[in-house]
Amino acid sequence: MKADLVLKNGVIYKADSARTIAEALAVADGKIIYVGDNNGVNEYITETTEIVDLQGKLVLPSFFEGHTHYTKATATVVGINLAGMNTEAEYVEACRNFIAARPGIKLLRGQGYLEACFPGEGPHKEALDKASTEIPIVVQAETLHSLWANSKAIELAGITKATPDPKNGRIERAADGTPSGCFRETAQDLILNALPDFSVAEYKEGILSFQKMAHQYGFTGAYDPWLMAGGNSIKALKELEAEGRLQMRLRGAYWADPNQDSGQVAALVTARDEDNNGDLFKINAVKLFMDGVLESVTAYLLQPYTAKAGRAPDWRGDQIWSTDNMNKVVAAIDKAGMGIHVHCAGDAAVKQTLDAIAYARQENGPRDARHCITHIFLVDPKDVVRFKELDTVAMTNSYWAQIDETYFVNGSYIGQERADRTFPLNCFFKAGVKVANASDYPITAVPNPFVGIEIGITRIAPDNYHPWIFNYDDPKFHKPLWPEESADLKDMIDSFTINQAYANFIDDISGSLELGKYADLIIVDKNILEIASEDIGTAKVEATYFMGKKVYAV
């Protein structure tokens, strides 16, 4: 067979089980037909073959973003993006300027304010009122677990001092009980449900914007764990694929309602069967929120929060799913042949989810389910090996494994000892767990995987990306967080490539540079296998190939 494309004279990390390094690679019809040395590739070359002389540059499998919100990030494309700002004054001025530049605007929504800027009761509506009292202003925190609204938005939603906190949610209030402007967890829905959804056209704009950015960082796949069955976002995804405008594999999960029982699963299965009519976009799981996050004192913990968290003495966070209901819902999802993708920040949330997976296996028998627990701020050490025993993927967020402003806020809520043991990573690798990695974009506003790889190794915020640090020169931010959890470089690369492919059931066609797989790969300007760990985050993608076609080049 003759090649359409040949890469030679390079350092090609295959990400196969032996972690082989090759020199050359040949592609035909989008798939790899040869990978080996320079001499061997010559027989695949014809006068029509495109030849790329790598000149010693590094080639890696392309990355897969295993937990990202490529649909919810639409708010940062058609609305306002507050990421990178660190003061209330900056946020308000940005909103004021956004509105001033758009005469006739009827609603401003967006994302990205930093929770650490507003410890305790969160931001106030009076600040956003300085930007406008004429139109609703609604912005979500970078965590997506809190929301900031102005007076007009609160009025539109009909929320008053008499409005009770919803289950697993909290309306922050002034001394007289009136809403102060910050809404936690499910209380966000009181505001969001009063707003119109983005249109299909707006979602398309947001998804295509994400795709363009993703290619720049070397991603040819992404997983959105927060899709609503029958919603405009899914319609947009299906239309984009039908129009031939998707140039990456997009996967997703439907959202499951903790207030409903296992009867809801039948409708999700029906929706999956209707939505999975394409090759590039597919639904393969159901998302469950087991708890919140430490920053908003809603992560579900085995031991109570400290008094500084400002809650009841025995407060352990939000247990969003009751044990019995979760067990039955997870078993029904598993029996239907779907996976679960569960948000777990606290160690109690992780434990309950592992228990639910064990229950499902007992009820249904073992199968190749590849269930996934994501985030894992804290874990009971005894539960690490259970990930391996239950064939559960640990979808970590190494981007956050550093000492930053949020670390100090969380430390005040959970105590120094627990704060120092947040974001476990290497323990999972050592236990033989399938470990994947994700940015949770737009929570991490710049989802550069080289930054994620660097932090996974150093456990220190890099000098080229530290949005959660206000004074980077302060020495306290240059100490590693839990250095024993520093991971190996090749483990980190695999967590963005072949392990992600495994988590998404595409490891037979992508994730590593092996014969018969699609040529999903990137060319990197620096050999991260050789440079200092603290320089890895500065590496850049020079070209991204998806199914053998170049989709990005410098």
Side-chain angles (χ1 to χ4, degrees), residues 272-453:
R272 176 199 61 183
D273 294 343
E274 293 176 353
D275 290 335
N276 282 357
N277 53 12
D279 293 322
L280 296 182
F281 168 64
K282 290 183 181 294
I283 298 285
N284 56 14
V286 178
K287 168 72 175 288
L288 289 78
F289 275 100
M290 189 55 243
D291 64 348
V293 292
L294 292 174
E295 298 96 305
S296 59
V297 199
T298 51
Y300 181 39
L301 306 181
L302 291 172
Q303 299 299 323
Y305 285 84
T306 68
K308 291 183 178 179
R311 301 294 181 90
D314 60 347
W315 176 249
R316 295 195 295 121
D318 284 333
Q319 181 187 6
I320 293 178
W321 287 81
S322 69
T323 299
D324 182 65
N325 191 39
M326 184 178 189
N327 286 347
K328 291 176 180 177
V329 170
V330 169
I333 293 168
D334 181 74
K335 186 174 183 179
M338 298 181 76
I340 59 167
H341 189 102
V342 187
H343 169 113
C344 295
D347 45 11
V350 172
K351 188 176 292 292
Q352 181 176 337
T353 301
L354 289 169
D355 290 346
I357 293 171
Y359 176 88
R361 292 187 72 171
Q362 180 179 345
E363 292 292 303
N364 303 327
R367 70 178 184 89
D368 186 15
R370 307 186 192 184
H371 296 312
C372 176
I373 296 178
T374 186
H375 305 318
I376 318 174
F377 290 40
L378 292 164
V379 67
D380 183 338
K382 296 189 293 292
D383 283 333
V384 172
V385 70
R386 296 181 69 202
F387 279 78
K388 172 70 172 177
E389 294 169 349
L390 295 170
D391 299 322
T392 298
V393 175
M395 186 70 67
T396 59
N397 301 108
S398 67
Y399 297 81
W400 307 342
Q402 59 187 13
I403 293 176
D404 54 26
E405 303 289 352
T406 302
Y407 159 86
F408 290 104
V409 171
N410 291 343
S412 70
Y413 295 156
I414 64 174
Q416 192 68 43
E417 182 178 351
R418 278 188 289 183
D420 286 341
R421 298 179 68 83
T422 48
F423 301 109
L425 182 59
N426 199 43
C427 60
F428 291 111
F429 286 116
K430 290 193 296 185
V433 177
K434 195 69 73 172
V435 181
N437 219 309
S439 74
D440 206 2
Y441 172 82
I443 285 79
T444 302
V446 179
N448 181 345
F450 295 115
V451 168
I453 291 170

Side-chain angles (χ1 to χ4, degrees), residues 22 29 40 60 68 134 139 168 175 182 191-192 270 284 335 383 417 438 461 496 527 531:
D29 297 325
L60 298 174
T68 183
E134 300 299 317
V139 290
N168 302 126
C182 183
I191 297 288
L192 295 175
T270 298
N284 56 14
K335 186 174 183 179
D383 283 333
E417 182 178 351
F496 279 94
N527 186 348
I531 63 176

Side-chain angles (χ1 to χ4, degrees), residues 84-219:
M85 305 172 200
N86 294 322
T87 68
E88 178 184 276
E90 287 179 290
Y91 297 140
V92 172
E93 185 66 14
C95 290
R96 182 185 294 117
N97 292 340
F98 191 96
I99 293 168
R102 293 161 179 80
I105 185 174
K106 294 181 171 55
L107 165 68
L108 172 57
R109 60 193 303 175
Q111 290 172 0
Y113 77 84
L114 189 62
E115 292 250 34
C117 289
F118 304 101
E121 63 185 16
H124 292 169
K125 62 180 183 289
E126 289 80 8
L128 279 186
D129 287 346
K130 296 176 184 177
S132 177
T133 57
E134 300 299 317
I135 67 169
I137 303 176
V138 178
V139 290
Q140 286 184 282
E142 97 285 1
T143 63
L144 299 181
H145 285 264
S146 297
L147 178 150
W148 185 12
N150 72 343
S151 297
K152 192 69 173 180
I154 296 171
E155 177 188 339
L156 174 68
I159 302 170
T160 68
K161 67 166 60 175
T163 304
D165 287 354
K167 183 179 180 181
N168 302 126
R170 179 182 176 94
I171 303 171
E172 298 290 356
R173 302 175 190 270
D176 65 356
T178 58
S180 61
C182 183
F183 299 79
R184 310 285 193 188
E185 304 298 346
T186 60
Q188 296 179 96
D189 294 335
L190 300 175
I191 297 288
L192 295 175
N193 290 342
L195 306 179
D197 190 11
F198 294 113
S199 67
V200 172
E202 287 174 324
Y203 274 121
K204 284 184 176 181
E205 182 182 353
I207 294 163
L208 290 176
S209 175
F210 171 83
Q211 178 173 260
K212 181 178 179 181
M213 176 194 67
H215 287 160
Q216 175 186 345
Y217 291 119
F219 293 108

